[in-house]
Amino acid sequence: MLALIAAAPELATPDDTEIFLDAMPIAELASMWGVLQRLSRRDRTGATWSAILYFDHLPHKRPDRALDLALEVLRSEVDKPTVMQLNDKFMLSLLYAQGASVIGRIEAEAKQNAGLRWLLGGIYFGPDEPFKRRIEAIADSKGWRADDLARRTPKHPLDCEAMSVPELAGAWVEQYSKSERDRDDNFFAMMDYERDLREEYPDKAIDLIVEILKIETNPVMLSLLAAGPLEDVISMETIDRIEREACTNKRFHDLLGGVWYYRASDELKARLDALVGQNRW
């Protein structure tokens, strides 16, 4: 299935992808959806992004087919963390965008489908959201919470404070390479630590970026590094260090080409323009 995604010319553009996947039998579509959940960030291609976009739009455009897909995944997918990804965006989008057209069918199906009741246990609404009470009446929230806690709890929790910069760089690459399916609380611990570094120790945040560049070459990961940690740490307080690093480290200089800074002050923008030049990605 992954080879099909990578090779299919029908997935060249979003419009081509929609035509191709709309005609696919629901069992094959569910299989493709499962493959995409397992795919690491570093292995995503243009074709896989087109397919991911199709699934993001499906609950909005074709609610009955979206519910058919969810039910088929529940029926055929044996890996629980993969099935749980239905609640990452898919089912919530379906209920928010098209709830009125599918809520009756969901309630009828849930009467005899324990898997669907379990899945609905992971859908969270605000206090006065439509369908909140109707979903709560059929959802197995207790079962979902137990499985969600088990999925999120890492076997080896990260202690970022105790790690060296090279160890942090390795952990950053590992955590950000993971698919959403495989993320646990270590991913969010790394995000929180990045924020703390940026706010309290920006020089160390830049040290971490430099260290990551020593071990990472994947274009997708470098885009994440540029648009995330590097973009976030650039300020008038750090621009001197940024300039020094860019003058001595070509890979760091190249990484600046992936940073967007149109909201920067005029002074900061001018200094970044001088650094980046024609190097914008």
Side-chain angles (χ1 to χ4, degrees):
M1 183 59 72
L2 184 56
L4 171 64
I5 296 172
E10 295 88 349
L11 303 181
T13 70
D15 288 343
D16 293 335
T17 300
E18 184 171 353
I19 293 169
F20 179 63
L21 296 184
D22 274 347
M24 183 175 284
I26 201 70
E28 293 180 21
L29 195 68
S31 178
M32 177 178 284
W33 183 89
V35 168
L36 291 172
Q37 307 317 304
R38 293 171 167 86
L39 200 61
S40 74
R41 292 295 293 269
R42 65 192 314 114
D43 293 327
R44 291 182 178 179
T45 65
T48 59
W49 280 114
S50 291
I52 290 167
L53 190 63
Y54 170 84
F55 287 112
D56 285 347
H57 290 170
L58 189 62
H60 300 266
K61 292 184 172 182
R62 301 191 63 185
D64 281 320
R65 184 165 172 83
L67 184 53
D68 287 342
L69 172 67
L71 293 173
E72 179 61 24
V73 170
L74 283 167
R75 186 194 68 79
S76 60
E77 179 59 67
V78 297
D79 180 68
K80 187 171 285 187
T82 299
V83 179
M84 295 178 85
Q85 287 304 113
L86 284 170
N87 269 347
D88 183 45
K89 289 183 292 187
F90 195 84
M91 289 296 291
L92 193 60
S93 294
L94 178 60
L95 283 163
Y96 269 112
Q98 301 285 353
S101 67
V102 296
I103 187 64
R105 186 179 166 200
I106 287 173
E107 288 172 324
E109 180 72 31
K111 291 178 181 179
Q112 52 198 2
N113 189 329
L116 179 58
R117 295 195 297 273
W118 165 82
L119 184 68
L120 296 172
I123 294 178
Y124 304 107
F125 290 101
D128 299 313
E129 298 280 358
F131 314 116
K132 174 180 169 63
R133 292 184 180 178
R134 292 173 72 172
I135 292 297
E136 286 179 343
I138 56 178
D140 177 13
S141 299
K142 183 178 179 181
W144 172 271
R145 285 195 297 268
D147 287 329
D148 188 44
L149 178 62
R151 180 180 65 89
R152 290 188 293 104
T153 303
K155 293 180 180 178
H156 305 289
L158 289 178
D159 182 2
C160 294
E161 293 283 352
M163 297 168 72
S164 67
V165 174
E167 289 171 334
L168 286 168
W172 189 94
V173 168
E174 179 185 6
Q175 295 304 318
Y176 277 88
S177 293
K178 291 181 178 180
S179 66
E180 285 83 353
R181 164 191 173 273
D182 292 323
R183 288 177 181 171
D184 55 25
D185 284 347
N186 276 342
F187 176 78
F188 300 102
M190 176 59 69
M191 288 184 64
D192 290 344
Y193 187 69
E194 282 182 73
R195 183 196 62 235
D196 293 343
L197 284 185
R198 182 173 68 249
E199 294 176 355
E200 304 293 335
Y201 308 102
D203 262 336
K204 188 173 180 180
I206 296 171
D207 290 341
L208 176 57
I209 294 166
V210 171
E211 198 67 33
I212 292 169
L213 283 172
K214 294 178 181 179
I215 61 175
E216 183 57 80
T217 60
N218 181 274
V220 174
M221 299 299 293
L222 293 179
S223 294
L224 290 173
L225 185 62
L230 181 55
E231 186 170 308
D232 292 342
V233 81
I234 293 175
S235 68
M236 286 304 300
E237 287 69 38
T238 62
I239 188 60
D240 289 345
R241 168 74 191 280
I242 297 291
E243 288 171 332
R244 291 195 303 271
E245 198 66 49
C247 287
T248 60
N249 185 334
K250 184 180 185 304
R251 295 204 66 214
F252 187 87
H253 177 268
D254 290 343
L255 192 68
L256 285 168
V259 170
W260 290 93
Y261 50 88
Y262 63 93
R263 292 183 179 176
S265 67
D266 289 344
E267 181 181 354
L268 182 57
K269 185 176 184 297
R271 293 174 71 171
L272 289 167
D273 281 342
L275 279 176
V276 174
Q278 301 301 313
N279 190 41
R280 175 147 311 281
W281 296 1

